[in-house]
Amino acid sequence: MAKMINKTLVLTYIYLLIYILLSSGVILYNKWVLSPKYFNFPLPITLTMIHMGFSGFVAFLLIRVFKVVSPVKMTFEIYVTCVVPISAFFASSLWFGNTAYLHISVAFIQMLKALMPVATFLMAVVCGTDKARCDVFMNMVLVSVGVVVSSYGEINFNVIGTVYQVMGIFAEALRLVLTQVLLQKKGLTLNPVTSLYYIAPCSFVFLSLPWYVLEKPNIDVSQIQFNFWIFFSNALCALALNFSIFLVIGRTGAVTIRVAGVLKDWILIALSTVIFPESTITGLNITGYAIALCGVVMYNYIKIKDVKAIQPTSDSLPDRITKDWKEKNSSDGGSPRGLELNDEEAPLITSRLSHIGRTQLGNHTAV
């Protein structure tokens, strides 16, 4: 039993490391491809459409051709009322987020992403999935103040890039809330392959509209360098990130992923200053980001307390592994457990993984 737990813990840390490396790598890779100072492909919508087209194609092969994954029962009503609006906001979040790379540094983008809990909380209150609370509101104020201080200390501050990034954050927050409101209420569970199968083509269609208006008229084929291996590897990294996130969700909870996300942000900020010399960090940047992180940590602590109040069971990994192991060896009659993941780089629908789904996931993590 102890050996099984130790092996599971090692695999968990390996998956977390892979997730951090892939997530950081995708962000830095996108910045390098889009930046006029490096690869010089300043077409963020086109790059995002390449990602969506590649992901949708791979998902189609896995489901319809090789039949590795079984398709879910998707009705026209669910597709129109759930998948379409979620895809629209997902496409918007990727479009705005990638466009921000043209104007502001990776380090500053990561600092702005501290606003994600603020945006998610506001959207949840507006949509009625959460209640306005004084303690959470104070944390949101602290996060906002920290981001403002960090922005004030940004040497290469750019209004356009900042606006794009903030719009991308709020679009992603609304996507997450809509996922909870629309899909979870209908009891629809999607893994990364089926979510890409339905969302990627729809997002591609939505992205084609701003692409036709904003990028197509300005595309000069003679001045654009197209390297197949660059774009193929870039899209492959984005696809690999999706699967790594699914593996992490299967092994950990949302709190662990949030902690890993904070670690990833610090790593990205440090790496970006080394890889991109123009990314200069000031003391005021760090001070503001530290203030914002304090608010984020306090917000996560409140959420953990809320979860424990509803379900007062131990949330430690060894205890949860032991519980899952016992359930696996008894019966498969467990009730679904909800997990949320806020990672705006990953084109995933937030999934509700049942006990059976988690057991199946554990049997396929050796790929």
Side-chain angles (χ1 to χ4, degrees):
M1 181 64 181
K3 289 183 179 180
M4 186 200 73
I5 294 178
N6 290 334
K7 182 180 179 181
T8 305
L9 282 173
V10 170
L11 285 175
T12 299
Y13 290 128
I14 291 175
Y15 291 147
L16 283 172
L17 178 61
I18 293 174
Y19 157 70
I20 292 175
L21 291 177
L22 283 173
S23 182
S24 303
V26 168
I27 292 174
L28 294 172
Y29 204 168
N30 286 348
K31 172 66 175 180
W32 182 81
V33 170
L34 292 169
S35 177
K37 295 182 179 180
Y38 300 97
F39 187 72
N40 192 24
F41 187 79
L43 302 171
I45 303 177
T46 303
L47 182 65
T48 308
M49 291 177 69
I50 292 174
H51 290 176
M52 291 296 95
F54 180 77
S55 298
F57 176 70
V58 171
F60 175 82
L61 291 179
L62 292 176
I63 293 178
R64 296 299 180 185
V65 179
F66 300 109
K67 301 186 184 303
V68 177
V69 180
S70 300
V72 299
K73 185 177 181 180
M74 177 70 66
T75 65
F76 179 77
E77 185 266 339
I78 293 179
Y79 188 85
V80 172
T81 59
C82 298
V83 175
V84 170
I86 291 172
S87 299
F89 285 104
F90 171 63
S92 300
S93 68
L94 291 180
W95 164 26
F96 297 147
N98 283 337
T99 303
Y101 290 126
L102 297 177
H103 306 281
I104 54 181
S105 67
V106 172
F108 186 47
I109 285 175
Q110 296 310 121
M111 295 178 185
L112 288 175
K113 285 181 180 178
L115 284 172
M116 191 65 201
V118 178
T120 305
F121 174 70
L122 292 177
M123 293 298 100
V125 171
V126 171
C127 294
T129 60
D130 203 347
K131 296 181 180 179
R133 295 166 47 182
C134 183
D135 53 351
V136 175
F137 177 76
M138 294 305 298
N139 287 335
M140 300 300 97
V141 171
L142 185 62
V143 172
S144 301
V145 169
V147 172
V148 170
V149 172
S150 180
S151 301
Y152 184 76
E154 176 66 16
I155 294 178
N156 301 313
F157 181 81
N158 183 282
V159 176
I160 296 177
T162 302
V163 170
Y164 266 114
Q165 183 58 42
V166 172
M167 289 172 61
I169 290 172
F170 274 89
E172 174 66 9
L174 191 53
R175 179 189 75 88
L176 292 170
V177 174
L178 283 178
T179 300
Q180 180 181 358
V181 173
L182 299 177
L183 282 185
Q184 292 186 359
K185 282 188 176 180
K186 294 182 181 296
L188 187 64
T189 301
L190 300 177
N191 61 44
V193 178
T194 52
S195 65
L196 287 175
Y197 178 76
Y198 292 109
I199 281 189
C202 191
S203 296
F204 185 94
V205 172
F206 276 109
L207 288 167
S208 65
L209 301 177
W211 175 83
Y212 186 82
V213 176
L214 299 176
E215 292 190 358
K216 183 178 180 298
N218 300 321
I219 290 181
D220 189 347
V221 179
S222 61
Q223 295 181 2
I224 294 178
Q225 52 176 332
F226 187 90
N227 186 309
F228 171 80
W229 294 110
I230 292 292
F231 289 102
F232 175 75
S233 60
N234 183 259
L236 191 62
C237 287
L239 183 65
L241 175 60
N242 291 322
F243 292 108
S244 73
I245 290 174
F246 185 55
L247 294 178
V248 169
I249 290 178
R251 294 281 176 175
T252 66
V255 175
T256 305
I257 297 174
R258 285 170 182 163
V259 173
V262 172
L263 178 61
K264 178 204 70 176
D265 290 342
W266 281 110
I267 293 175
L268 264 174
I269 291 173
L271 284 178
S272 65
T273 58
V274 176
I275 299 175
F276 307 111
E278 70 274 10
S279 298
T280 305
I281 299 178
T282 65
L284 205 54
N285 279 142
I286 298 299
T287 302
Y289 188 54
I291 294 173
L293 279 185
C294 288
V296 172
V297 171
M298 293 172 63
Y299 172 77
N300 287 336
Y301 176 72
I302 291 175
K303 287 299 182 181
I304 294 172
K305 287 179 61 178
D306 291 344
V307 172
K308 287 185 177 181
I310 298 174
Q311 188 178 5
T313 58
S314 176
D315 200 28
S316 65
L317 185 58
D319 289 342
R320 188 154 45 79
I321 293 171
T322 303
K323 180 180 178 181
D324 288 350
W325 182 81
K326 290 179 180 179
E327 290 177 356
K328 180 179 179 181
N329 287 275
S330 59
S331 64
D332 290 331
S335 60
R337 289 182 290 180
L339 295 178
E340 292 184 2
L341 174 65
N342 296 353
D343 194 321
E344 50 274 20
E345 283 81 49
L348 283 174
I349 287 183
T350 305
S351 302
R352 294 197 309 165
L353 300 180
S354 65
H355 169 69
I356 297 176
R358 289 173 65 90
T359 303
Q360 291 173 342
L361 176 65
N363 295 332
H364 290 85
T365 51
V367 292

